[in-house]
């Protein structure tokens, strides 16, 4: 009887151990969740960004926790890309990846941050509607840093976005009218030279009204970095000092490209008139002139016939020494002597357009439009 009792006890122990192991094993079985279970979504299907939306929450991406069926804590990230880069062998290779903090199931973007991601990191065209693909990645990582054998789970959505070109506030020299004529006290386009490389060299285009000055407009240049530094007459038309009187545009009145070096204390003035030169006018540097609008501070050429697939360049004074093209991101850049850089500006559509060149905001902020 005693032996039988011992056998029954052993049997019961084995049964309890068996079911206990099965229960423990079941908590460690990994099963991949479906993409749909993540319920990945965006608060906005379409986003148009402007300076007015910089401080506004423009998009929030949210999702539910991924249940891999085991006692693991997934890691999440968002990937941003364009549709063309989400296909093929190198799909998502150029995506911008944003890792989310542990325990976070949403990511909200202010307009300024989202615009920077789109325009600066992803380099989408500004002022144009583009399709954006956003992919949520849920993965299980190992503490050792070794690659996990558990495959990540993805869920994607698409939305349309329209980023804007944010103007960078470069260090500047602000025009201050001399004698009796007044200029804006705040930094104002058309009255500014900027340093796009954040060094001692400043550039801009000025069209001052010849309001008060001998042979030109009397003015001084005030540093935006240190308002006590006021650059004026240095003894000649091409030199400056911190103790002199008024500078004068030479010749004047005229629309001038102005370059100032606050280290060398030099300043130069080049009178300019702009033209459009390209495939559609046999690259003539005189047949398609632009007209300066003193009210808007922009150069404009109306009724310009352009052909899709062709290219053009902004030229000056009948040549290419001062000229503007675009860089690989479509931003307007100086292409003249001595660098001779840039890419010819591509024409997107065939038609008759108004072409505008805006040089009023100083070097680094030059823009153009074709409408």
């Amino acid at each position: 009887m005693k032996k039988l009792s011992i056998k029954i006890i052993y049997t019961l122990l084995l049964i309890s151990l068996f079911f206990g192991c099965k229960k423990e094993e079941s908590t460690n079985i990994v099963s991949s969740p479906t993409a749909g279970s993540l319920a990945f979504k965006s608060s906005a299907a379409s986003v148009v960004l402007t300076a007015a939306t910089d401080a506004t929450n423009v998009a929030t991406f949210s999702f539910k926790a991924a249940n891999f069926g085991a006692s693991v804590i997934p890691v999440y990230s968002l990937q941003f890309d364009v549709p063309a880069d989400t296909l093929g062998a190198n799909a998502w290779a150029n995506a911008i990846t944003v890792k989310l903090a542990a325990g976070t199931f949403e990511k909200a973007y202010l307009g300024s941050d989202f615009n920077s991601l789109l325009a600066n990191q992803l380099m989408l065209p500004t002022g144009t509607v583009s399709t954006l693909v956003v992919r949520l990645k849920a993965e299980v990582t190992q503490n050792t840093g070794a690659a996990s054998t558990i495959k990540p789970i993805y869920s994607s959505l698409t939305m349309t976005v329209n980023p804007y070109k944010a103007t960078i506030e470069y260090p500047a020299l602000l025009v201050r009218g001399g004698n009796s004529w007044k200029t804006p006290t705040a930094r104002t386009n058309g009255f500014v030279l900027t340093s796009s490389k954040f060094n001692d060299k400043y550039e801009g285009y000025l069209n001052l009204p010849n309001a008060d000055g001998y042979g030109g407009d009397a003015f001084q240049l005030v540093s935006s970095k240190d308002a006590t530094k006021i650059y004026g007459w240095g003894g000649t038309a091409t030199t400056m000092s911190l103790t002199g009187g008024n500078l004068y545009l030479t010749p004047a009145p005229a629309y001038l490209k102005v370059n100032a070096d606050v280290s060398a204390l030099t300043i130069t003035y080049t009178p300019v008139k702009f033209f459009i030169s390209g495939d559609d006018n046999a690259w003539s540097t005189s047949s398609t002139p632009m007209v300066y609008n003193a009210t808007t501070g922009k150069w404009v050429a109306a009724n310009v016939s352009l052909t899709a697939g062709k290219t053009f360049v902004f030229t000056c004074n009948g040549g290419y020494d001062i000229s503007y093209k675009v860089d690989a991101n479509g931003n307007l850049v100086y292409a003249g002597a001595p660098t001779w850089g840039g890419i010819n500006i591509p024409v997107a559509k065939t038609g008759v357009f108004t072409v505008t060149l805006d040089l009023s905001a100083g070097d680094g902020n030059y823009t153009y439009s074709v409408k």
Side-chain angles (χ1 to χ4, degrees):
M1 183 70 179
K2 185 177 181 180
K3 290 182 179 180
L4 181 61
S5 298
I6 292 173
K7 287 183 178 180
I8 291 173
I9 291 170
Y10 278 138
T11 302
L12 292 173
L13 285 172
L14 287 172
I15 292 172
S16 64
L17 285 171
F18 174 78
F19 282 106
C21 289
K22 291 292 286 183
K23 183 177 181 181
E24 182 180 352
E25 181 183 0
S26 66
T27 64
N28 289 286
I29 296 175
V30 175
S31 59
S32 296
T34 63
S37 68
L38 299 176
F40 181 45
K41 62 182 180 180
S42 169
S43 63
S46 179
V47 175
V48 178
L49 296 164
T50 66
T53 63
D54 278 354
T56 303
N57 188 333
V58 296
T60 299
F61 301 96
S62 59
F63 55 93
K64 293 182 179 179
N67 182 7
F68 281 88
S71 300
V72 295
I73 301 176
V75 175
Y76 304 100
S77 56
L78 296 176
Q79 296 176 309
F80 300 86
D81 213 337
V82 295
D85 192 50
T86 62
L87 304 172
N90 296 316
W92 299 91
N94 299 311
I96 303 301
T97 299
V98 178
K99 293 186 180 298
L100 304 185
T104 301
F105 303 107
E106 70 174 30
K107 173 65 176 178
Y109 277 95
L110 292 177
S112 58
D113 297 329
F114 202 44
N115 191 71
S116 179
L117 185 150
L118 299 174
N120 300 331
Q121 294 181 268
L122 204 54
M123 293 186 289
L124 293 181
T126 57
T128 301
V129 176
S130 298
T131 299
L132 178 71
V133 185
V134 188
R135 183 168 75 165
L136 170 66
K137 179 180 181 181
E139 59 185 325
V140 178
T141 60
Q142 296 194 47
N143 294 334
T144 61
S148 174
T149 57
I150 304 172
K151 292 183 178 181
I153 302 302
Y154 299 96
S155 181
S156 301
L157 59 83
T158 60
M159 59 190 300
T160 60
V161 292
N162 189 341
Y164 77 100
K165 180 177 174 59
T167 301
I168 300 173
E169 190 164 280
Y170 296 111
L173 296 177
L174 312 180
V175 174
R176 185 172 76 178
N179 297 333
S180 62
W181 77 285
K182 304 298 181 182
T183 51
T185 55
R187 180 171 177 155
T188 304
N189 288 359
F191 296 90
V192 63
L193 310 179
T194 54
S195 177
S196 64
K197 291 184 171 59
F198 293 85
N199 55 19
D200 292 334
K201 300 179 188 300
Y202 293 77
E203 178 187 298
Y205 287 82
L206 301 180
N207 183 63
L208 304 185
N210 199 30
D212 189 357
Y214 175 75
D217 298 282
F219 70 99
Q220 294 178 319
L221 295 171
V222 183
S223 171
S224 66
K225 296 191 295 183
D226 183 353
T228 65
K229 291 187 176 181
I230 303 172
Y231 298 90
W233 184 256
T236 69
T238 57
T239 58
M240 302 187 300
S241 75
L242 290 169
T243 57
N246 294 321
L247 296 162
Y248 298 93
L249 290 181
T250 304
Y255 182 92
L256 302 170
K257 179 177 183 287
V258 182
N259 291 85
D261 188 326
V262 298
S263 178
L265 291 175
T266 59
I267 188 166
T268 60
Y269 311 92
T270 306
V272 292
K273 292 184 178 180
F274 283 94
F275 299 81
I276 295 172
S277 305
D279 292 312
D280 284 300
N281 65 1
W283 292 97
S284 169
T285 57
S286 60
S287 63
T288 311
M290 305 189 78
V291 178
Y292 181 69
N293 185 320
T295 301
T296 63
K298 301 175 182 180
W299 288 85
V300 180
N303 301 315
V304 180
S305 296
L306 297 173
T307 306
K310 304 291 187 179
T311 63
F312 69 91
V313 175
F314 293 106
T315 56
C316 181
N317 298 345
Y320 289 83
D321 283 357
I322 297 175
S323 55
Y324 290 90
K325 300 182 181 181
V326 292
D327 62 15
N329 299 322
N331 301 313
L332 197 68
V333 293
Y334 180 75
T339 56
W340 305 109
I343 302 168
N344 291 346
I345 302 169
V347 178
K349 297 180 180 179
T350 298
V352 179
F353 303 94
T354 295
V355 182
T356 303
L357 176 64
D358 186 356
L359 306 172
S360 65
D363 187 30
N365 292 321
Y366 301 149
T367 61
Y368 79 99
S369 65
V370 179
K371 297 181 179 179

